Amino acid sequence: MLRFPEGFRWGTATAAYQIEGAASEDGRTPSIWDTFSRVPGKVRNGDTGDIAADHYHRTAEDISLLKELGVTDYRFSVAWPRVQPSGRGPVSEKGLDFYRRLADALRDAGIRPVATLYHWDLPEELERAGGWPERRTAERFAEYAGLVADALGDRVATWTTLNEPWCTAFLGYGSGVHAPGRTEPVAALRAAHHLNLAHGLAVRALRAALPAGAEVSLTLNPHAVGALTGSDADRDAARRVDALGNRLFLDPVFHGRLPEDLVADTARLTDWGFVEGGDLAVIAAPLDSLGINYYAPTVVAAGSHDGPSPWPGAEPHVRFASTPGPRTAMDWPVDPDGLYGLLVRLRDELPGVPLVITENGAAYDDYADPEGDVHDPERVGYLRQHVGAVHRALGEGVDVRGYFLWSLLDNFEWAYGYGKRFGIVHVDFASQRRTPKDSARWYAQVIAHNGLTDG
Ligand code: FCB
């Protein structure tokens, strides 16, 4: 039996655009994902989030599922275009009411609501005005954060500003595989800085609006990056990916500085003149915890990468290597040691910062059998190993406070559409019928025992 500390938080995570649907109801305006998913060829099968898992209309049923699991916490995101339809100016009370009802119902069920303010659904109007590469988007975000905190601060005590700003900046504006689909290396670097700034300004707005004792956090997807070999060239490739994938966010947020090696690596592209005096101090506002999303490691070697890339400035020096071993349906390698190593690194680099695993999980090709059951032994295996890695890290003195499984429901997996299933509850998208998979029953046992009985 691998027992977790008393009070360890067990949750599941979702995101608004991936589950809510109701894309044009109650005054919601389009987000960049509504627009992007309509561009032919951008999302597999032409899928969109118009209906998704219809969570907007099935909230009560979904909260019952959470109750059956026995989670202590539930992480959801607030859709900016639902609560502030033009991305500036007045709020939509109808939009806010949805989240007020959600938070109330969770609390009635004894589940702590954990709100993320931005999980990738920028109001389309703000992208038309330039999007994240522009400084004013950061200012808009801080206003929005303050408004949502004013409206929900009496019922939600745990807040996250951004989810995975690396993806927003580099998949959205670098490789273009995510909305808004731009492939502009300098814009991607500008976006990364303005996301950091948006975070810092939002922390300030949240602290001003929330009661004392509220928890304010940020969720990153730090890359567990390793060099394929110990050669200098491979290690230099790993350093470059670490700079763009990790230190570009960790250094400003926790140390108030930009990584010098990254500024040098990207000198051909930009002089970083968009970083204004005082920005780094704003970005370094103290946080109560750091959220970590982890799925798979990143192994790199010296080489080059062609075509639009999420690694501006690093392309001529880096290739991404594939390693042997089991893989998920995303073709991502299964490597719990990557999570363990990341946690130990963060313990050393960020002393005194509590960590929370805000996402971890796996896609497999699940289906309901003739009896209506969904057996997903591979997912159970993946989860067991990763929860075990968290336990091992706790044993090494890493201060991990919680684990949120991605995801409660099968949902709209961004550019992969509905083809990739991450849920521990199966969703038949034609009927919207929910069926807990074997992994849901396994997770309920973990929560009930506060640990792994089969670890
Ligand atoms: C993360 C996202 C989340 C989900 C998982 C699989 O990068 O935050 O929305 O799509 O990947």
Side-chain angles (χ1 to χ4, degrees):
M1 170 86 194
L2 301 179
R3 209 173 254 297
F4 280 67
E6 194 67 31
F8 191 81
R9 296 161 74 158
W10 295 104
T12 61
T14 61
Y17 190 70
Q18 295 180 275
I19 64 165
E20 283 180 3
S24 48
E25 264 173 66
D26 294 336
R28 183 186 177 282
T29 55
S31 75
I32 53 175
W33 271 96
D34 294 274
T35 312
F36 183 75
S37 59
R38 283 176 168 69
V39 179
K42 294 298 184 191
V43 175
R44 280 199 198 164
N45 196 37
D47 291 343
T48 74
D50 284 2
I51 299 172
D54 198 30
H55 170 73
Y56 194 76
H57 301 116
R58 292 167 197 266
T59 319
E61 183 182 354
D62 293 341
I63 292 176
S64 310
L65 291 166
L66 289 168
K67 233 181 139 172
E68 271 168 45
L69 286 167
V71 293
T72 61
D73 291 58
Y74 172 61
R75 173 176 181 252
F76 60 93
S77 80
V78 176
W80 188 348
R82 202 181 280 297
V83 305
Q84 194 188 29
S86 352
R88 75 189 79 209
V91 291
S92 154
E93 286 301 332
K94 274 194 175 167
L96 284 170
D97 278 344
F98 170 69
Y99 298 104
R100 288 191 183 103
R101 287 195 304 272
L102 174 65
D104 286 346
L106 287 165
R107 282 154 55 104
D108 289 348
I111 300 166
R112 218 184 272 126
V114 175
T116 297
L117 284 162
Y118 186 74
H119 201 128
W120 305 355
D121 42 3
L122 186 72
E124 175 61 31
E125 235 175 281
L126 295 188
E127 176 56 32
R128 267 190 232 130
W132 287 112
E134 298 308 319
R135 189 179 184 85
R136 56 182 173 265
T137 305
E139 291 158 2
R140 293 285 90 78
F141 180 70
E143 285 163 21
Y144 153 72
L147 293 171
V148 181
D150 279 339
L152 300 179
D154 54 347
R155 350 160 120 75
V156 177
T158 309
W159 293 79
T160 300
T161 54
L162 306 172
N163 177 73
E164 301 189 358
W166 180 85
C167 293
T168 301
F170 295 108
L171 303 182
Y173 297 89
S175 64
V177 299
H178 278 187
R182 286 163 59 182
T183 51
E184 304 162 35
V186 179
L189 294 169
R190 291 174 60 101
H193 174 63
H194 292 130
L195 283 153
N196 281 339
L197 182 63
H199 159 76
L201 292 169
V203 171
R204 199 185 264 177
L206 290 172
R207 297 265 187 230
L210 294 172
E215 183 187 340
V216 177
S217 187
L218 162 72
T219 282
L220 298 177
N221 57 318
H223 294 65
V225 54
L228 186 62
T229 75
S231 74
D232 286 351
D234 283 2
R235 283 171 41 192
D236 187 61
R239 176 193 62 74
R240 288 170 188 274
V241 167
D242 184 53
L244 276 163
N246 299 333
R247 289 181 283 113
L248 172 53
F249 301 94
L250 292 170
D251 282 10
V253 171
F254 292 100
H255 308 298
R257 59 166 193 246
L258 280 171
E260 277 173 28
D261 58 332
L262 174 65
V263 174
D265 289 347
T266 52
R268 194 174 43 85
L269 296 169
T270 175
D271 63 2
W272 292 79
F274 47 84
V275 180
E276 295 186 7
D279 283 3
L280 290 162
V282 170
I283 295 167
L287 291 180
D288 300 309
S289 62
L290 174 66
I292 304 297
N293 292 355
Y294 174 83
Y295 291 91
T298 308
V299 180
V300 299
S304 64
H305 179 100
D306 291 333
S309 146
W311 305 102
E315 305 91 340
H317 309 276
V318 174
R319 88 182 155 81
F320 291 81
S322 107
T323 44
R327 290 178 172 260
T328 68
M330 299 294 281
D331 202 26
W332 294 347
V334 177
D335 182 11
D337 291 344
L339 175 58
Y340 171 79
L342 195 58
L343 292 174
V344 169
R345 168 186 174 174
L346 294 171
R347 172 199 67 190
D348 295 343
E349 280 183 22
L350 309 175
V353 180
L355 305 176
V356 177
I357 310 300
T358 39
E359 286 181 26
N360 175 243
Y364 287 102
D365 294 325
D366 310 311
Y367 58 91
D369 69 15
E371 285 76 48
D373 297 324
V374 184
H375 301 300
D376 56 344
E378 290 172 302
R379 180 174 294 101
V380 171
Y382 177 99
L383 295 170
R384 182 190 290 127
Q385 291 184 62
H386 286 76
V387 170
V390 175
H391 191 270
R392 230 173 349 124
L394 282 163
E396 293 298 320
V398 185
D399 184 6
V400 189
R401 303 285 174 92
Y403 175 90
F404 290 72
L405 197 162
W406 183 274
S407 185
L408 173 66
L409 303 168
D410 290 338
N411 60 50
F412 175 81
E413 180 45 38
W414 308 115
Y416 296 88
Y418 297 99
K420 300 292 177 209
R421 296 178 173 272
F422 275 90
I424 54 171
V425 174
H426 181 269
V427 177
D428 171 52
F429 291 102
S431 65
Q432 293 295 345
R433 192 183 139 81
R434 274 93 164 119
T435 306
K437 305 178 189 176
D438 287 352
S439 54
R441 280 178 283 276
W442 174 85
Y443 193 43
Q445 285 304 308
V446 172
I447 299 170
H449 292 100
N450 194 32
L452 290 173
T453 50
D454 55 354

